[in-house]
Amino acid sequence: MGKQKIPGLKKIGDIWHIDKRVDGRRICESTGTSSFKEAEKYLIKRLEDIRQATIYGVRPKRSFRMAALKFVQENQHKRSILLDIRILKMLDPYIGELPITSIHIGTLQEYIETRKKEGVKMRTINMGLQIVRHILNLAAGEWMDEYGLTWLPAAPKIKLLPEPDKQKPYPLSWEEQGKLFAALPEHLYEMALFAVNTGCRDKEVCRLRWEWEVNVPEIDNSVFIIPGQFVKNGQDRVVILNRIAKKVIERQRGKHSEFVFTYRQKPIARILNNGWKEARIKTGLLKVRVHDLKHTFGRRLRAAGVSFEDRQDLLGHKSSRITTHYSAGELTSLLDAASKVCEEKACQTLTLLKLVDHHRGEGHEKLTNQLYV
């Protein structure tokens, strides 16, 4: 008498599939094989996994690749999902096939060392560690299977690496601003001047559109409301125009029907282009990034005594407040705050402590400068 076949397998095309009810639940999935014997082994293993989970609370083995796929499927709405996918593809050869229960900082060492040898910055390596940590936290805290069990009993601690190569903020002094801006091409000068007076990011300036401008008669001025999809934190952002920013806007009016800032009738992809880099070299301000214009605005606001809440709103930082709902009085207050950084004399001189390289036999030195903390 031949061996009795296990019910629950059916062939679809060349591949055997499971179609079976177990404890009131229907299992429908591919075995991934055209061999009946292999399909039977797969089914037996699945039935044993179900028994172990149901009776003893033993979680089925799941690979990091399965967890990564679930993460991607659930986060299609994320604006950074393409970057996440790119990072996960880099991680896959190292940990993709490992069970999620085996993922920890030790199993990530090969990935870390390989990336270091490739000359990748620590911040970039940490981005990979952060996404692994986030996925494992989801697996331990939120993802539940059909047996009422989380995918992972507990998430391991994955400590991020120190970032000694991370560039610190470099707020500009008025003198440095004057030197750098004078070396910029006219279109970049206007964009940089707008950024340092509004705290807008590079992309926010480049994408600024006339349709986002809203006239506010109560303050005798206009504002721009940038939709959340164009803002890093995903929240709509109100851009307050002080006197200098307003003049920049007026000089652009009529040049292009859609975008505020253009070059030869075309929108500009980024301020950090060859013109910016050449200006840095010419002036010797090699450390200055476009994002430092935002730091400069923020530190000048603080030096002028602007409150933390107003600085948050003016810089477009994420907060629990509804930052597009303002009364006329609140807009007036924000405009007054933004106007405090229009002139050098309005900002206090700050004393900075600079740590000088001890290897050169030098100690600490105290510098007084127009840097706006």
Side-chain angles (χ1 to χ4, degrees):
M1 187 174 178
K3 182 181 176 183
Q4 188 174 358
K5 293 182 180 179
I6 302 174
L9 289 171
K10 66 177 181 180
K11 202 168 189 180
I12 302 177
D14 292 329
I15 303 298
W16 286 96
H17 287 69
I18 298 174
D19 188 356
K20 186 178 181 68
R21 283 196 172 272
V22 181
D23 295 334
R25 286 191 293 267
R26 188 180 180 187
I27 306 172
C28 293
E29 62 185 70
S30 170
T31 66
T33 179
S34 58
S35 167
F36 180 75
K37 287 185 178 181
E38 290 296 324
E40 271 196 322
K41 290 179 182 178
Y42 182 91
L43 175 56
I44 292 170
K45 178 67 170 60
R46 284 290 285 119
L47 294 175
E48 178 60 19
D49 287 344
I50 293 170
R51 189 177 79 86
Q52 290 286 329
T54 304
I55 300 175
Y56 304 110
V58 178
R59 291 169 173 80
K61 288 185 179 181
R62 298 181 177 93
S63 67
F64 182 79
R65 188 175 296 142
M66 292 172 61
L69 180 60
K70 179 175 174 64
F71 171 80
V72 170
Q73 289 172 339
E74 291 182 353
N75 288 277
Q76 290 297 308
H77 61 282
K78 279 187 67 180
R79 291 187 303 149
S80 62
I81 191 61
L82 293 179
L83 175 60
D84 292 344
I85 291 172
R86 191 159 67 245
I87 293 171
L88 289 169
K89 284 182 177 179
M90 293 179 185
L91 285 159
D92 188 76
Y94 302 93
I95 61 172
E97 295 182 359
L98 291 179
I100 55 175
T101 51
S102 299
I103 306 295
H104 50 78
I105 192 64
T107 53
L108 287 161
Q109 282 305 309
E110 186 182 356
Y111 168 77
I112 293 170
E113 294 304 320
T114 301
R115 297 293 279 161
K116 283 181 180 179
K117 289 176 182 177
E118 292 171 349
V120 176
K121 289 187 176 181
M122 291 298 184
R123 177 167 175 77
T124 303
I125 298 173
N126 276 338
M127 288 172 67
L129 301 184
Q130 283 175 321
I131 194 170
V132 171
R133 185 167 66 180
H134 182 51
I135 289 173
L136 296 181
N137 284 336
L138 290 172
E142 296 185 20
W143 293 349
M144 306 287 288
D145 62 20
E146 63 269 33
Y147 315 112
L149 301 171
T150 56
W151 277 39
L152 195 61
K157 290 184 178 180
I158 296 178
K159 188 176 180 180
L160 301 183
L161 305 175
E163 298 180 9
D165 55 356
K166 183 178 180 181
Q167 187 172 333
K168 293 179 173 60
Y170 189 95
L172 293 164
S173 68
W174 287 100
E175 182 183 357
E176 289 171 328
Q177 176 180 317
K179 285 172 58 179
L180 179 64
F181 285 18
L184 291 171
E186 183 181 354
H187 64 287
L188 291 183
Y189 165 80
E190 296 282 25
M191 297 173 81
L193 189 60
F194 183 82
V196 84
N197 279 280
T198 59
C200 284
R201 296 175 181 274
D202 190 334
K203 288 184 179 180
E204 292 170 350
V205 177
C206 293
R207 295 171 177 174
L208 197 66
R209 302 184 185 189
W210 291 113
E211 64 184 273
W212 299 342
E213 186 179 22
V214 178
N215 187 43
V216 186
E218 292 86 352
I219 63 172
D220 191 28
N221 204 342
S222 61
V223 300
F224 281 83
I225 302 179
I226 304 178
Q229 67 193 87
F230 298 100
V231 181
K232 185 178 179 180
N233 63 29
Q235 292 184 340
D236 291 355
R237 179 184 177 184
V238 174
V239 179
I240 302 294
L241 305 179
N242 64 19
R243 173 171 51 81
I244 296 176
K246 182 68 175 175
K247 286 182 178 179
V248 172
I249 291 299
E250 292 305 323
R251 288 196 290 269
Q252 310 315 306
R253 206 176 293 280
K255 291 183 178 180
H256 195 273
S257 60
E258 183 178 2
F259 292 96
V260 175
F261 297 102
T262 57
Y263 179 62
R264 295 178 179 175
Q265 290 297 304
K266 292 182 180 180
I268 301 165
R270 57 192 308 190
I271 300 175
L272 182 58
N273 55 26
N274 289 337
W276 178 272
K277 294 174 183 177
E278 288 170 5
R280 288 195 310 190
I281 294 171
K282 184 178 179 181
T283 58
L285 296 170
L286 302 178
K287 291 184 178 180
V288 181
R289 304 161 300 173
V290 175
H291 194 67
D292 287 320
L293 301 178
K294 185 180 182 74
H295 289 307
T296 302
F297 180 63
R299 296 195 176 188
R300 288 176 181 176
L301 289 173
R302 195 171 87 177
V306 176
S307 70
F308 174 75
E309 290 77 12
D310 284 350
R311 294 203 309 271
Q312 269 194 313
D313 290 346
L314 288 170
L315 289 163
H317 289 168
K318 194 168 188 176
S319 72
S320 58
R321 299 184 303 280
I322 303 175
T323 52
T324 56
H325 293 189
Y326 294 107
S327 66
E330 288 171 322
L331 285 174
T332 300
S333 177
L334 289 175
L335 180 57
D336 289 343
S339 298
K340 290 181 179 180
V341 301
C342 286
E343 298 176 2
E344 179 177 356
K345 63 182 180 181
C347 298
Q348 298 177 10
T349 300
L350 300 181
T351 300
L352 301 183
L353 294 178
K354 180 181 178 184
L355 184 63
V356 181
D357 190 353
H358 287 279
H359 296 291
R360 297 182 181 178
E362 300 172 0
H364 292 75
E365 68 176 349
K366 189 176 181 181
L367 301 178
T368 301
N369 201 351
Q370 291 294 119
L371 296 183
Y372 302 86
V373 178

